[in-house]
């Protein structure tokens, strides 16, 4: 199984209302579609990097590439855990947790968005 080779894929965080896990397959496609449908009003930019300001097809591809890039570059020293947020089995957003030089700094950064 894939999780045997990359154990973070088996991580599940659950509450009575939500589940967070690394999206794969259709869930990642659903996350890209959600981003294209809109995360914030077009006249505002809540993100430091304006990643949502691009044509829909490019935005969807960038959501996929962003996830794949972070999974591919994962190391114990530098990692980003990009979790899809599910409510009643439906993707509703993303929660990210990243550690840089984590063994030294013991600090993480977070980011999130909801559709």
């Amino acid at each position: 199984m894939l999780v045997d080779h990359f154990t973070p894929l088996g991580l599940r965080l659950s509450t009575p209302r939500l589940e967070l896990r690394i999206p794969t397959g259709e869930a990642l496609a659903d996350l890209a579609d959600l981003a294209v449908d809109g995360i914030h009003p077009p006249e505002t930019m809540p993100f430091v990097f304006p990643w949502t300001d691009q044509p829909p097809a490019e935005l969807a591809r960038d959501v996929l590439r962003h996830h794949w890039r972070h999974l591919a570059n994962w190391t114990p020293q530098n990692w980003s855990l990009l979790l899809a947020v599910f409510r009643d089995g439906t993707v509703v957003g993303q929660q990210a947790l990243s550690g840089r030089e984590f063994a030294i700094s013991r600090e993480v950064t977070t980011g999130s968005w909801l559709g």
Side-chain angles (χ1 to χ4, degrees):
M1 292 186 68
L2 192 56
V3 72
D4 294 334
H5 302 289
F6 191 72
T7 55
L9 291 175
L11 178 65
R12 301 281 189 277
L13 303 172
S14 298
T15 72
R17 296 184 334 176
L18 303 173
E19 180 182 71
L20 284 73
R21 59 182 161 86
I22 294 176
T24 58
E26 289 306 311
L28 185 53
D30 291 344
L31 191 66
D33 290 340
L34 189 62
V36 168
D37 288 344
I39 300 169
H40 58 81
E43 65 276 2
T44 63
M45 177 48 65
F47 304 112
V48 174
F49 177 77
W51 63 273
T52 55
D53 281 353
Q54 53 185 321
E58 289 178 36
L59 176 57
R61 272 192 305 275
D62 279 354
V63 168
L64 301 176
R65 290 175 32 206
H66 180 75
H67 274 267
W68 292 331
R69 182 174 39 254
H70 282 280
L71 287 175
N73 292 323
W74 185 294
T75 66
Q77 297 80 23
N78 297 302
W79 48 268
S80 290
L81 183 61
L82 303 179
L83 302 169
V85 179
F86 294 82
R87 183 170 186 191
D88 297 325
T90 301
V91 175
V92 296
Q94 176 184 283
Q95 175 65 55
L97 182 70
S98 300
R100 298 284 169 252
E101 297 299 329
F102 182 71
I104 296 167
S105 70
R106 299 289 189 212
E107 294 179 351
V108 297
T109 58
T110 64
S112 64
W113 57 266
L114 294 171

